[in-house]
Amino acid sequence: DQQVKQNSPSLSVQEGRISILNCDYTNSMFDYFLWYKKYPAEGPTFLISISSIKDKNEDGRFTVFLNKSAKHLSLHIVPSQPGDSAVYFCAASALIQGGSEKLVFGKGTKLTVNP
Amino acid sequence: DVKVTQSSRYLVKRTGEKVFLECVQDMDHENMFWYRQDPGLGLRLIYFSYDVKMKEKGDIPEGYSVSREKKERFSLILESASTNQTSMYLCASSLAGSNYGYTFGSGTRLTVV
């Protein structure tokens, strides 16, 4: 049972346009959401996050939107650049035993930004 | 510059071999994790640890074991490597009780022949 879903395996956009990556979740206990970016042969790197008490968080060209009622979040990249081409993983966090967290990842969306 | 270091970037092993993947972090993080990444399957959690000498099974622990004798080191062990364990293995660590997410290592690409 997949608790975090990224339904689009791939996305292709033109340089300068907006990229929108989507993520849905099923567990209402998730209270923190993160996006990671991964280049081939490298580990994922943290990109941006949002707490469940907010509906928007912005960092430069990257904005994450959270719709709690729909259990949906999205990552917007504006303007998209060729260097943004990577696999993007959505992750959700819930605090469990001992105050520690465990992240649940989606399967990823491969973004290609064409020059 | 804080780091999670995985000892090997690429490994080739034979079927049936015992394989050790090592991970060391220098951030004094309590939590450490092992994932594997496969095309179309995303990141799948194998094992994790919240403290020294403590381990918990993740979603796909079969065929693997782990060891955490020191806080900074978390080892993944393939008891008898099989071809279906060919994958990218990723180690991560995090601070207990925080929402800062994980810091990942660069990964080990393991090929079992």
Side-chain angles (χ1 to χ4, degrees):
Chain A
D1 179 28
Q2 225 185 323
Q3 297 186 68
V4 178
K5 297 181 183 179
Q6 293 177 257
N7 291 321
S8 298
S10 62
L11 174 67
S12 184
V13 300
Q14 286 299 121
E15 182 178 5
R17 306 294 291 267
I18 184 171
S19 295
I20 300 176
L21 294 89
N22 293 303
C23 180
D24 297 292
Y25 62 97
T26 56
N27 189 341
S28 57
M29 295 299 293
F30 289 142
D31 58 2
Y32 202 74
F33 304 89
L34 306 92
W35 286 93
Y36 283 81
K37 177 178 178 180
K38 186 182 184 300
Y39 293 117
E42 293 184 14
T45 54
F46 169 76
L47 187 59
I48 193 169
S49 62
I50 188 167
S51 164
S52 58
I53 62 174
K54 294 187 175 181
D55 55 17
K56 178 183 174 181
N57 188 27
E58 194 171 351
D59 183 2
R61 297 186 296 114
F62 302 91
T63 303
V64 56
F65 295 92
L66 176 63
N67 183 334
K68 281 185 67 178
S69 60
K71 293 190 176 68
H72 176 85
L73 64 153
S74 61
L75 174 68
H76 293 211
I77 306 173
V78 182
S80 302
Q81 298 174 354
D84 296 329
S85 298
V87 177
Y88 289 79
F89 290 100
C90 172
S93 168
L95 285 180
I96 52 177
Q97 64 195 55
S100 292
E101 60 162 15
K102 191 171 85 169
L103 292 183
V104 180
F105 287 88
K107 291 186 177 181
T109 297
K110 184 177 182 180
L111 173 66
T112 303
V113 180
N114 301 303
Chain B
D1 189 20
V2 293
K3 269 189 185 177
V4 176
T5 303
Q6 294 184 231
S7 54
S8 304
R9 293 298 300 270
Y10 301 94
L11 274 180
V12 180
K13 296 291 181 181
R14 294 191 179 279
T15 301
E17 274 194 79
K18 190 169 185 175
V19 181
F20 293 85
L21 302 183
E22 304 289 343
C23 175
V24 177
Q25 51 95 4
D26 63 1
M27 296 166 282
D28 203 32
H29 283 175
E30 290 82 3
N31 306 329
M32 296 189 75
F33 307 84
W34 275 106
Y35 287 85
R36 62 178 282 178
Q37 184 201 3
D38 301 287
L41 298 177
L43 299 172
R44 294 183 292 167
L45 181 63
I46 305 171
Y47 266 97
F48 57 101
S49 170
Y50 289 140
D51 202 351
V52 176
K53 295 192 186 293
M54 177 272 177
K55 60 186 178 184
E56 292 281 348
K57 292 180 180 179
D59 301 317
I60 51 164
E62 295 79 18
Y64 303 94
S65 63
V66 290
S67 172
R68 189 151 182 216
E69 296 296 318
K70 294 185 177 180
K71 189 176 184 180
E72 67 271 19
R73 185 180 295 270
F74 193 35
S75 304
L76 180 69
I77 304 155
L78 285 66
E79 298 290 344
S80 177
S82 63
T83 54
N84 63 14
Q85 292 179 309
T86 292
S87 186
M88 167 71 93
Y89 289 87
L90 293 159
C91 176
S93 71
S94 72
L95 197 61
S98 78
N99 269 328
Y100 296 123
Y102 297 177
T103 301
F104 282 88
S106 298
T108 296
R109 169 66 66 184
L110 173 68
T111 303
V112 182
V113 298

